[in-house]
Amino acid sequence: MSAILVTGADLAPQALALLEGYDMVYAGKAPTEDDLVALCRKHDPVAIIVRYGKVGSAVMDAAPSLRVISKHGSGTDTIDKAAAQARGVEVVAAVGANAAAVAEQALALLLACAKSVVALDARMHAGHWDKATHKSIELGGRTVGLVGLGQIGLRFARMAEAMDMRVIGFDPFAKNLPPYVQAVDLATIWRESDAISLHCPLTDGNRGLLDAATLASCKRGVIVVNTARGGLIDESALLDALRSGQVGMAGLDSFAVEPMTAGHPFQGQRNIVLSPHIGGVTSDAYVNMGVGAAKNLLQVLARQTTAN
């Protein structure tokens, strides 16, 4: 029986039903490269479903029968795609499977920042009543700039437009945008946005996209939201901008190094709202991503079998 390796502890029952007939091997919640190499050497999987951890050349070389790597989600930056191509291994992703979940998380973080939800909750639980002294931000009429206008970005845009926000966006690959999204360049995003939300994949070309220079060119007090990839932001520069007031608030769901460990400089910073990269983690998205990953790898295997 051919094996499929899941770089996680489980997979949705609906996905497992599609993969009946394969030997399912699970790597656990936090697999290291050594863990994955050992499992590949032992089971020689024909496919890997990537949930956690990274899949690079060492893992691929340990699985000579490997034919496809299927991402449990949309972001493939944890897969060495050049190494896969060199070995004739296809890489596929469940694009859009968690779009609704991530867009909702981005909106939740934006609202939490604008309305001081976390800080006011803590004050209330401590017995304070700050009605006379607190002023929140009204988002209606303000401009939100989106970097990335794929399925997640456009879902977020629709929700922002429903709140009467002006929506501007940058995405060199986006076509046929809805009328409520104005396509602009990055300089305009930085200059005109009251809030910026990142919805693009991480590439060598955009790593550190939000750095000291770009943050300095933004409106003072801008809100920054990131539910995409932590590497898009220079975290040290963001922290400096938050402390100076150049950035008013940040809502972050992804980080340069994950999981975040104790002592990270973001921890305890009063004007950052943090969540542990759970934007795409809902019960619905869990099923959608699992089913999408399963269907994608089965399609690749079927096509390769037919071609041979």
Side-chain angles (χ1 to χ4, degrees):
M1 184 181 294
S2 297
I4 294 175
L5 173 62
V6 180
T7 69
D10 52 29
L11 203 61
Q14 295 90 333
L16 291 175
L18 295 172
L19 300 173
E20 186 178 3
Y22 288 90
D23 180 19
M24 304 302 299
V25 178
Y26 299 95
K29 293 181 179 180
T32 65
E33 182 180 63
D34 288 343
D35 294 333
L36 298 179
V37 167
L39 287 170
C40 283
R41 285 175 177 164
K42 181 177 180 180
H43 298 280
D44 189 19
V46 295
I48 299 176
I49 294 178
V50 179
R51 293 195 62 191
Y52 307 117
K54 296 183 178 181
V55 175
S57 57
V59 176
M60 299 177 205
D61 288 340
S65 297
L66 184 65
R67 293 157 61 187
V68 56
I69 301 172
S70 185
K71 183 65 169 66
H72 190 275
S74 57
T76 58
D77 55 289
T78 57
I79 302 167
D80 188 334
K81 291 180 283 295
Q85 184 177 19
R87 290 159 177 78
V89 176
E90 290 196 44
V91 176
V92 288
V95 177
N98 62 353
V102 178
E104 289 174 10
Q105 181 70 11
L107 180 63
L109 288 171
L110 175 61
L111 288 168
C113 289
K115 305 301 180 184
S116 302
V117 172
V118 176
L120 290 174
D121 174 74
R123 291 280 294 171
M124 287 287 289
H125 281 288
H128 301 282
W129 185 264
D130 295 333
K131 184 171 183 178
T133 57
H134 177 75
K135 294 291 186 295
S136 63
I137 297 171
E138 192 167 320
L139 293 172
R142 285 185 161 83
T143 298
V144 61
L146 309 183
V147 181
L149 295 168
Q151 294 190 46
I152 297 170
L154 289 179
R155 277 181 175 268
F156 181 85
R158 193 165 71 230
M159 293 187 288
E161 193 270 340
M163 296 193 302
D164 293 325
M165 298 191 77
R166 174 188 176 226
V167 182
I168 60 176
F170 171 80
D171 189 328
F173 305 104
K175 298 178 181 178
N176 302 316
L177 295 175
Y180 51 82
V181 178
Q182 178 188 354
V184 298
D185 59 17
L186 281 173
T188 303
I189 296 283
W190 314 141
R191 184 177 65 251
E192 298 188 7
S193 297
D194 298 291
I196 295 169
S197 190
L198 304 180
H199 299 285
C200 55
L202 177 64
T203 67
D204 291 337
N206 65 16
R207 187 175 297 276
L209 178 69
L210 274 181
D211 59 11
T214 52
L215 289 169
S217 66
C218 292
K219 284 186 177 182
R220 184 167 179 82
V222 67
I223 297 172
V224 172
V225 174
N226 186 17
T227 53
R229 288 293 185 266
L232 294 167
I233 295 177
D234 179 331
E235 292 184 346
S236 178
L238 177 61
L239 191 60
D240 289 342
L242 283 159
R243 288 172 173 167
S244 72
Q246 175 62 16
V247 173
M249 288 285 297
L252 307 176
D253 186 54
S254 56
F255 308 92
V257 177
E258 297 180 357
M260 179 182 286
T261 56
H264 192 287
F266 284 166
Q267 293 169 349
Q269 185 69 29
R270 62 173 181 81
N271 47 355
I272 306 182
V273 179
L274 303 172
S275 58
H277 209 154
I278 47 78
V281 184
T282 64
S283 55
D284 296 306
Y286 171 68
V287 172
N288 293 339
M289 289 187 292
V291 169
K295 286 183 175 179
N296 285 341
L297 77 83
L298 289 172
Q299 288 173 359
V300 171
L301 293 175
R303 185 174 68 251
Q304 291 181 349
T305 299
T306 301
N308 294 334

